[in-house]
Every structure is written in structure tokens, then in C-alpha cells.
Amino acid sequence: MNTESTTTKVADGARSLADNVLQSAQDAVQTTRDKARESLDKAESGVRELRREASPVIDDLAARAHDLATRSIDFCAESSARARHQVQQAADATTRYVTQQPGKSVAIAAAAGAAVTAAVLLMSRRRNP
């Protein structure tokens, strides 16, 4: 019975060793899970912090872009109004000149027409060698 008792002791020892190894493996898995959870919590906290810090920056950029767009639209509207006013002044001045000096106006118009006609004829002759 000595052999049986030795075999039993060895088997019990092997079971105990296997249980210890299994327990160690389970502890290692649990520790790994805990560390992974901890790392994920830190990462999540970091992402929340970045979002919190980035939000005002994004809002500021959006406000600046809106302000720039508004100023650009205002500038274009003012430029358009100035150009319209200058064209209207030129038209009024031309009307006054034609009314005050109709003879000169007809002569200037005829000279301008002749110059344009001469330029067109000259350009058409250059194209047709």
C-alpha cells in the first residue's frame, strides 16, 4: 500500500499544482483585465478632456469665420454701391454735357465711331493676309 499511498500523494500534489497554476492563470487574466479597463478609462478620460478643450477653440474658429464672411459680404455690398454711384455720376455728367453742347457731342460720337471702325477694319485686314 505504500505504492498506492505514494501514487495518491503524487496525484494530490499534481492536482494541487494544477489548481495553483489554474489559479495563477486566472489571477493573471483578471489582473490583465483590470489593467486594460484602467487603461481604457484613462484613454476615455483623455478623450473627454480633449473634447472639452477643443470645443471652445472650434467655437472661436466658427465665430471668426462667421465674422470674416459678414465683413466680406459688407465690403462687397459697399464696393458695389460705390461703383453703382460712380457709374450714375458718369452717366449724369455725360447727359449734362450732351444737353449743354449737342454739336460737340455729335462730333465726338462721330469721331469715336470712325476710330472704332478704322480699328476693326485694320484688325480684319491683319487676320486675312
Side-chain angles (χ1 to χ4, degrees), residues 31-64:
T31 300
T32 302
R33 284 183 182 158
D34 291 344
K35 292 294 181 183
R37 191 175 301 119
E38 207 174 287
S39 295
L40 287 173
D41 288 345
K42 283 182 183 178
E44 183 180 2
S45 175
V47 168
R48 282 187 190 139
E49 180 66 20
L50 284 174
R51 280 186 186 163
R52 188 179 62 74
E53 290 175 4
S55 184
V57 173
I58 291 170
D59 291 344
D60 183 49
L61 287 175
R64 287 182 184 185

Short mmCIF file of all heavy atoms in Angstrom, two decimals, residues 31-64:
data_model
loop_
_atom_site.label_atom_id
_atom_site.label_comp_id
_atom_site.label_asym_id
_atom_site.label_seq_id
_atom_site.Cartn_x
_atom_site.Cartn_y
_atom_site.Cartn_z
N THR A 31 -5.96 40.32 -13.58
CA THR A 31 -5.07 41.48 -13.49
C THR A 31 -4.96 42.17 -14.84
O THR A 31 -5.00 43.41 -14.94
CB THR A 31 -3.66 41.04 -13.01
OG1 THR A 31 -3.79 40.43 -11.72
CG2 THR A 31 -2.72 42.21 -12.91
N THR A 32 -4.83 41.38 -15.90
CA THR A 32 -4.75 41.94 -17.25
C THR A 32 -6.04 42.69 -17.59
O THR A 32 -6.00 43.80 -18.14
CB THR A 32 -4.50 40.82 -18.28
OG1 THR A 32 -3.30 40.14 -17.93
CG2 THR A 32 -4.38 41.38 -19.68
N ARG A 33 -7.18 42.09 -17.25
CA ARG A 33 -8.46 42.77 -17.49
C ARG A 33 -8.54 44.08 -16.72
O ARG A 33 -8.99 45.10 -17.25
CB ARG A 33 -9.63 41.86 -17.08
CG ARG A 33 -9.92 40.77 -18.04
CD ARG A 33 -11.12 39.97 -17.59
NE ARG A 33 -11.38 38.88 -18.51
CZ ARG A 33 -12.06 37.80 -18.20
NH1 ARG A 33 -12.54 37.63 -16.99
NH2 ARG A 33 -12.26 36.87 -19.10
N ASP A 34 -8.11 44.04 -15.45
CA ASP A 34 -8.15 45.25 -14.64
C ASP A 34 -7.27 46.34 -15.23
O ASP A 34 -7.66 47.51 -15.30
CB ASP A 34 -7.71 44.95 -13.20
CG ASP A 34 -8.73 44.08 -12.44
OD1 ASP A 34 -9.89 43.97 -12.91
OD2 ASP A 34 -8.36 43.52 -11.40
N LYS A 35 -6.05 45.96 -15.64
CA LYS A 35 -5.14 46.93 -16.23
C LYS A 35 -5.70 47.48 -17.55
O LYS A 35 -5.60 48.67 -17.84
CB LYS A 35 -3.75 46.31 -16.47
CG LYS A 35 -3.01 46.00 -15.21
CD LYS A 35 -2.67 47.27 -14.48
CE LYS A 35 -1.89 46.94 -13.21
NZ LYS A 35 -1.61 48.12 -12.43
N ALA A 36 -6.29 46.59 -18.36
CA ALA A 36 -6.88 47.03 -19.63
C ALA A 36 -8.04 47.99 -19.36
O ALA A 36 -8.17 49.03 -20.03
CB ALA A 36 -7.36 45.83 -20.45
N ARG A 37 -8.88 47.66 -18.40
CA ARG A 37 -10.00 48.54 -18.04
C ARG A 37 -9.48 49.89 -17.55
O ARG A 37 -10.00 50.95 -17.91
CB ARG A 37 -10.87 47.87 -16.97
CG ARG A 37 -12.18 48.57 -16.73
CD ARG A 37 -13.09 47.81 -15.75
NE ARG A 37 -13.39 46.47 -16.24
CZ ARG A 37 -13.06 45.33 -15.60
NH1 ARG A 37 -12.43 45.37 -14.46
NH2 ARG A 37 -13.37 44.16 -16.10
N GLU A 38 -8.43 49.84 -16.74
CA GLU A 38 -7.83 51.06 -16.23
C GLU A 38 -7.27 51.92 -17.37
O GLU A 38 -7.47 53.15 -17.41
CB GLU A 38 -6.67 50.66 -15.29
CG GLU A 38 -6.33 51.65 -14.22
CD GLU A 38 -5.27 51.05 -13.28
OE1 GLU A 38 -5.60 50.17 -12.49
OE2 GLU A 38 -4.12 51.51 -13.40
N SER A 39 -6.60 51.27 -18.31
CA SER A 39 -6.05 51.99 -19.47
C SER A 39 -7.16 52.60 -20.31
O SER A 39 -7.06 53.74 -20.77
CB SER A 39 -5.20 51.06 -20.33
OG SER A 39 -4.07 50.63 -19.62
N LEU A 40 -8.22 51.84 -20.53
CA LEU A 40 -9.35 52.36 -21.30
C LEU A 40 -10.02 53.53 -20.59
O LEU A 40 -10.41 54.51 -21.23
CB LEU A 40 -10.37 51.25 -21.57
CG LEU A 40 -9.95 50.21 -22.60
CD1 LEU A 40 -10.96 49.07 -22.65
CD2 LEU A 40 -9.79 50.83 -23.96
N ASP A 41 -10.12 53.42 -19.27
CA ASP A 41 -10.71 54.54 -18.51
C ASP A 41 -9.85 55.79 -18.64
O ASP A 41 -10.37 56.90 -18.82
CB ASP A 41 -10.86 54.16 -17.03
CG ASP A 41 -11.98 53.15 -16.79
OD1 ASP A 41 -12.82 52.96 -17.70
OD2 ASP A 41 -12.00 52.55 -15.69
N LYS A 42 -8.51 55.63 -18.58
CA LYS A 42 -7.62 56.77 -18.74
C LYS A 42 -7.74 57.36 -20.14
O LYS A 42 -7.77 58.58 -20.32
CB LYS A 42 -6.17 56.35 -18.48
CG LYS A 42 -5.84 56.19 -17.03
CD LYS A 42 -4.38 55.81 -16.85
CE LYS A 42 -4.05 55.57 -15.40
NZ LYS A 42 -2.64 55.15 -15.22
N ALA A 43 -7.82 56.47 -21.15
CA ALA A 43 -7.95 56.95 -22.53
C ALA A 43 -9.26 57.70 -22.71
O ALA A 43 -9.31 58.76 -23.34
CB ALA A 43 -7.85 55.79 -23.51
N GLU A 44 -10.33 57.14 -22.16
CA GLU A 44 -11.64 57.79 -22.27
C GLU A 44 -11.61 59.15 -21.57
O GLU A 44 -12.14 60.14 -22.09
CB GLU A 44 -12.71 56.90 -21.64
CG GLU A 44 -14.11 57.46 -21.77
CD GLU A 44 -15.16 56.56 -21.13
OE1 GLU A 44 -14.80 55.52 -20.56
OE2 GLU A 44 -16.34 56.92 -21.22
N SER A 45 -10.97 59.21 -20.43
CA SER A 45 -10.86 60.47 -19.71
C SER A 45 -10.05 61.48 -20.54
O SER A 45 -10.41 62.66 -20.61
CB SER A 45 -10.17 60.23 -18.37
OG SER A 45 -9.93 61.43 -17.70
N GLY A 46 -8.99 60.99 -21.19
CA GLY A 46 -8.19 61.87 -22.04
C GLY A 46 -8.99 62.40 -23.21
O GLY A 46 -8.89 63.58 -23.58
N VAL A 47 -9.80 61.55 -23.82
CA VAL A 47 -10.64 61.97 -24.95
C VAL A 47 -11.66 63.01 -24.49
O VAL A 47 -11.89 64.01 -25.17
CB VAL A 47 -11.33 60.75 -25.61
CG1 VAL A 47 -12.41 61.18 -26.56
CG2 VAL A 47 -10.30 59.87 -26.31
N ARG A 48 -12.25 62.78 -23.34
CA ARG A 48 -13.22 63.76 -22.81
C ARG A 48 -12.53 65.11 -22.57
O ARG A 48 -13.10 66.16 -22.87
CB ARG A 48 -13.81 63.25 -21.49
CG ARG A 48 -14.87 62.22 -21.68
CD ARG A 48 -15.53 61.89 -20.36
NE ARG A 48 -16.37 60.73 -20.49
CZ ARG A 48 -16.47 59.76 -19.61
NH1 ARG A 48 -15.78 59.80 -18.50
NH2 ARG A 48 -17.28 58.74 -19.82
N GLU A 49 -11.33 65.07 -22.03
CA GLU A 49 -10.58 66.29 -21.77
C GLU A 49 -10.26 67.02 -23.09
O GLU A 49 -10.40 68.25 -23.17
CB GLU A 49 -9.29 65.97 -21.01
CG GLU A 49 -8.44 67.17 -20.68
CD GLU A 49 -9.09 68.13 -19.70
OE1 GLU A 49 -10.01 67.74 -18.98
OE2 GLU A 49 -8.68 69.30 -19.69
N LEU A 50 -9.83 66.26 -24.08
CA LEU A 50 -9.54 66.87 -25.39
C LEU A 50 -10.79 67.51 -25.99
O LEU A 50 -10.73 68.60 -26.55
CB LEU A 50 -8.98 65.82 -26.36
CG LEU A 50 -7.52 65.43 -26.13
CD1 LEU A 50 -7.15 64.28 -27.06
CD2 LEU A 50 -6.61 66.60 -26.34
N ARG A 51 -11.91 66.81 -25.89
CA ARG A 51 -13.17 67.38 -26.40
C ARG A 51 -13.51 68.65 -25.67
O ARG A 51 -13.93 69.65 -26.27
CB ARG A 51 -14.31 66.38 -26.23
CG ARG A 51 -14.35 65.33 -27.28
CD ARG A 51 -15.60 64.48 -27.11
NE ARG A 51 -15.58 63.36 -28.03
CZ ARG A 51 -16.34 62.30 -27.91
NH1 ARG A 51 -17.18 62.19 -26.89
NH2 ARG A 51 -16.27 61.33 -28.78
N ARG A 52 -13.34 68.63 -24.35
CA ARG A 52 -13.67 69.80 -23.55
C ARG A 52 -12.76 70.97 -23.92
O ARG A 52 -13.22 72.11 -24.04
CB ARG A 52 -13.53 69.47 -22.06
CG ARG A 52 -14.03 70.56 -21.13
CD ARG A 52 -13.88 70.18 -19.67
NE ARG A 52 -12.51 69.95 -19.26
CZ ARG A 52 -11.60 70.91 -19.06
NH1 ARG A 52 -11.91 72.16 -19.26
NH2 ARG A 52 -10.38 70.61 -18.68
N GLU A 53 -11.49 70.70 -24.17
CA GLU A 53 -10.56 71.76 -24.55
C GLU A 53 -10.77 72.22 -25.99
O GLU A 53 -10.60 73.40 -26.29
CB GLU A 53 -9.11 71.27 -24.37
CG GLU A 53 -8.70 71.10 -22.93
CD GLU A 53 -7.31 70.49 -22.79
OE1 GLU A 53 -6.64 70.28 -23.82
OE2 GLU A 53 -6.90 70.23 -21.65
N ALA A 54 -11.13 71.30 -26.88
CA ALA A 54 -11.27 71.64 -28.30
C ALA A 54 -12.57 72.39 -28.58
O ALA A 54 -12.62 73.20 -29.51
CB ALA A 54 -11.21 70.37 -29.15
N SER A 55 -13.57 72.15 -27.81
CA SER A 55 -14.87 72.77 -28.07
C SER A 55 -14.80 74.30 -28.11
O SER A 55 -15.31 74.91 -29.06
CB SER A 55 -15.89 72.30 -27.03
OG SER A 55 -17.16 72.82 -27.32
N PRO A 56 -14.17 74.97 -27.15
CA PRO A 56 -14.09 76.43 -27.24
C PRO A 56 -13.27 76.89 -28.44
O PRO A 56 -13.58 77.91 -29.05
CB PRO A 56 -13.41 76.85 -25.93
CG PRO A 56 -13.58 75.71 -25.00
CD PRO A 56 -13.67 74.49 -25.84
N VAL A 57 -12.23 76.15 -28.78
CA VAL A 57 -11.40 76.52 -29.93
C VAL A 57 -12.24 76.44 -31.21
O VAL A 57 -12.19 77.33 -32.06
CB VAL A 57 -10.16 75.60 -30.03
CG1 VAL A 57 -9.39 75.85 -31.31
CG2 VAL A 57 -9.26 75.82 -28.82
N ILE A 58 -13.00 75.37 -31.34
CA ILE A 58 -13.86 75.21 -32.52
C ILE A 58 -14.91 76.32 -32.56
O ILE A 58 -15.16 76.90 -33.62
CB ILE A 58 -14.51 73.81 -32.53
CG1 ILE A 58 -13.43 72.75 -32.76
CG2 ILE A 58 -15.60 73.71 -33.57
CD1 ILE A 58 -13.89 71.33 -32.55
N ASP A 59 -15.50 76.61 -31.42
CA ASP A 59 -16.49 77.70 -31.37
C ASP A 59 -15.86 79.03 -31.75
O ASP A 59 -16.46 79.82 -32.48
CB ASP A 59 -17.10 77.80 -29.97
CG ASP A 59 -17.98 76.61 -29.62
OD1 ASP A 59 -18.37 75.87 -30.55
OD2 ASP A 59 -18.27 76.42 -28.42
N ASP A 60 -14.64 79.28 -31.28
CA ASP A 60 -13.95 80.53 -31.61
C ASP A 60 -13.65 80.60 -33.11
O ASP A 60 -13.85 81.65 -33.73
CB ASP A 60 -12.65 80.62 -30.81
CG ASP A 60 -11.92 81.93 -31.05
OD1 ASP A 60 -12.57 82.99 -30.97
OD2 ASP A 60 -10.71 81.88 -31.33
N LEU A 61 -13.19 79.49 -33.68
CA LEU A 61 -12.92 79.47 -35.13
C LEU A 61 -14.19 79.70 -35.93
O LEU A 61 -14.18 80.43 -36.93
CB LEU A 61 -12.27 78.14 -35.53
CG LEU A 61 -10.82 77.95 -35.10
CD1 LEU A 61 -10.35 76.55 -35.45
CD2 LEU A 61 -9.92 78.98 -35.75
N ALA A 62 -15.28 79.09 -35.50
CA ALA A 62 -16.55 79.29 -36.20
C ALA A 62 -16.99 80.74 -36.11
O ALA A 62 -17.46 81.32 -37.10
CB ALA A 62 -17.62 78.37 -35.61
N ALA A 63 -16.82 81.35 -34.95
CA ALA A 63 -17.21 82.77 -34.79
C ALA A 63 -16.34 83.66 -35.67
O ALA A 63 -16.84 84.59 -36.31
CB ALA A 63 -17.08 83.17 -33.32
N ARG A 64 -15.04 83.36 -35.73
CA ARG A 64 -14.15 84.15 -36.59
C ARG A 64 -14.51 84.00 -38.06
O ARG A 64 -14.50 84.97 -38.82
CB ARG A 64 -12.70 83.73 -36.38
CG ARG A 64 -12.13 84.20 -35.07
CD ARG A 64 -10.68 83.80 -34.96
NE ARG A 64 -10.12 84.16 -33.67
CZ ARG A 64 -8.87 84.02 -33.35
NH1 ARG A 64 -8.02 83.51 -34.23
NH2 ARG A 64 -8.43 84.37 -32.17
#
